[in-house]
Amino acid sequence: MLVRFWGTRGSLPVALTAPSVRQKIVGALAAANGMRFDDADAIDRFVDELGFAAGATYGGATPCVELEVQGPSYIICDMGSGLRSFGLDSIRRNAEGHARAYNFFLSHLHWDHIMGFPFFTPAFDPEAQIRIHSAHPDAEQALRRQQEEISFPVPFDWLRADIAFVTMAEGQPIEVDGLVVEAKAQKHSHVSYGYRFTDRDGCITIYSTDSEHKPSDMEDEAAFIDFFRDADLVVCDTMYSLAESVSMKEDWGHSSNIVAIDLCHEAGAKRLALFHHEPTYEDEDIQRMHEESIRYEQLTRERSPLDVICAYDGLEVRI
């Protein structure tokens, strides 16, 4: 299984500003301090040494994650603004022989998780088949509503792909192209659902975003430990610090890096991807949270190590 991250921010898309780009360039030149580079490879190595926040960016597209598996269709979690880039890339792959079949799994219907669909080019392809899986019976209503004339110039009925909606039930697994998929309700406004994907080889990926975990509700936390059990990769909402999540942003429907690590440790998960980054965080803030998460994991580890990575737009993870 190959997991591709097309969008990793939460709430709304953000972009690097001119001052932010300038700051990265100034920082890189200051770090070079008169160094000479013989070729482009030497420059690449130097940029790697700068650290991710100084030499790259975590990106600003809202949630969209692809799971490449053995089946013929595309498997996509959420339709955030990152969906536009995925759609264009899938057209390239379709030209190389990939089936024009798309299976979506929606965590919930808030705008940052569906706003990419009006810009999803394959939806205009009459040869494309699109199946939208959700545990929300009002998923079709939400997607149609955002393309009403008051909000968008192209109505939903102008789309030419074969589009159908599939309503899932919590705790009742379904099979899609060899993947076994199970949905789990999460604490979030209008309810969010996490998904557990198990492929033919037994590889397990968890997609769990927009989920608030309360230390006071240990019964619910035990259920999530079971849901994350033995996962190869857990993509988890880590929008806030622990202090934020239990104080001024309590009941906002999001979680922290600390709680995610604790859950993954208890569940025996192998790898955690920090996800749904706060839109006000600069790259340096996200990198700092990642570094603190690695240290916390090391300090609290009791059994096998948990590999803590930080999702960014364009990241690929093979499991």
Side-chain angles (χ1 to χ4, degrees), residues 21-317:
V21 174
R22 184 181 182 89
Q23 181 179 353
K24 289 178 186 288
I25 294 172
V26 170
L29 292 175
N33 194 26
M35 294 172 60
R36 296 182 61 86
F37 303 99
D38 295 331
D39 51 34
D41 288 340
I43 297 174
D44 273 340
R45 290 192 294 272
F46 169 72
V47 172
D48 287 340
E49 293 171 359
L50 289 174
F52 192 87
T57 181
Y58 291 94
T62 60
C64 181
V65 177
E66 176 193 0
L67 279 62
E68 184 177 301
V69 295
Q70 296 174 4
S73 72
Y74 296 101
I75 306 293
I76 312 102
C77 296
D78 279 338
M79 301 173 167
S81 63
L83 181 62
R84 178 181 178 275
S85 295
F86 163 74
L88 295 174
D89 189 71
S90 74
I91 291 174
R92 174 189 61 80
R93 285 184 267 172
N94 294 344
E96 297 172 353
H98 197 289
R100 300 180 183 185
Y102 301 82
N103 279 289
F104 286 93
F105 293 87
L106 299 183
S107 63
H108 63 309
L109 308 174
H110 287 167
W111 193 37
D112 53 328
H113 292 257
I114 64 172
M115 66 192 308
F117 192 66
F119 302 92
F120 183 51
T121 304
F124 295 88
D125 179 2
E127 297 184 21
Q129 181 187 78
I130 297 174
R131 296 293 177 264
I132 300 171
H133 301 78
S134 174
H136 294 87
D138 50 354
E140 182 173 359
Q141 176 188 351
L143 291 185
R144 286 183 172 276
R145 184 175 57 193
Q146 76 169 342
Q147 290 189 233
E148 291 178 356
E149 185 177 6
I150 194 172
S151 301
F152 196 75
V154 181
F156 189 92
D157 287 335
W158 285 14
L159 304 178
R160 291 294 173 259
D162 172 12
I163 302 175
F165 290 81
V166 180
T167 302
M168 296 179 61
E170 181 184 11
Q172 296 182 19
I174 64 172
E175 185 171 338
V176 177
D177 279 355
L179 271 181
V180 176
V181 188
E182 179 182 351
K184 176 169 177 51
Q186 306 176 135
K187 285 187 174 68
H188 194 75
S189 174
H190 198 63
V191 188
S192 172
Y193 288 87
Y195 291 96
R196 181 181 174 98
F197 298 91
T198 306
D199 71 9
R200 294 187 180 101
D201 296 326
C203 290
I204 299 169
T205 292
I206 304 294
Y207 181 75
S208 176
T209 190
D210 293 67
S211 177
E212 184 167 8
H213 299 281
K214 289 180 173 291
S216 58
D217 189 349
M218 296 310 297
E219 182 178 348
D220 190 60
E221 297 311 288
F224 272 94
I225 290 169
D226 286 340
F227 190 62
F228 289 4
R229 183 77 62 195
D230 297 328
D232 295 280
L233 173 66
V234 176
V235 180
C236 196
D237 183 332
T238 56
M239 193 168 186
Y240 303 136
S241 68
L242 180 62
E244 289 174 320
S245 68
V246 299
S247 58
M248 57 185 172
K249 295 182 178 178
E250 186 178 8
D251 297 323
W252 284 28
H254 298 284
S255 192
S256 72
N257 55 332
I258 300 302
V259 171
I261 291 169
D262 288 345
L263 290 173
C264 286
H265 271 163
E266 291 294 326
K270 299 178 179 65
R271 182 178 292 173
L272 166 67
L274 309 180
F275 186 72
H276 204 272
H277 307 309
E278 161 65 46
T280 64
Y281 285 1
E282 298 286 347
D283 287 321
E284 292 77 11
D285 300 318
I286 299 174
Q287 179 171 299
R288 189 179 307 112
M289 176 181 278
H290 184 201
E291 292 167 350
E292 291 170 354
S293 299
I294 291 172
R295 288 196 293 272
Y296 178 78
E297 188 282 326
Q298 293 170 342
L299 290 171
T300 58
R301 182 190 306 161
E302 294 182 355
R303 296 184 291 275
S304 299
L306 172 69
D307 182 20
V308 180
I309 62 176
C310 193
Y312 59 86
D313 299 4
L315 173 65
E316 295 186 353
V317 179

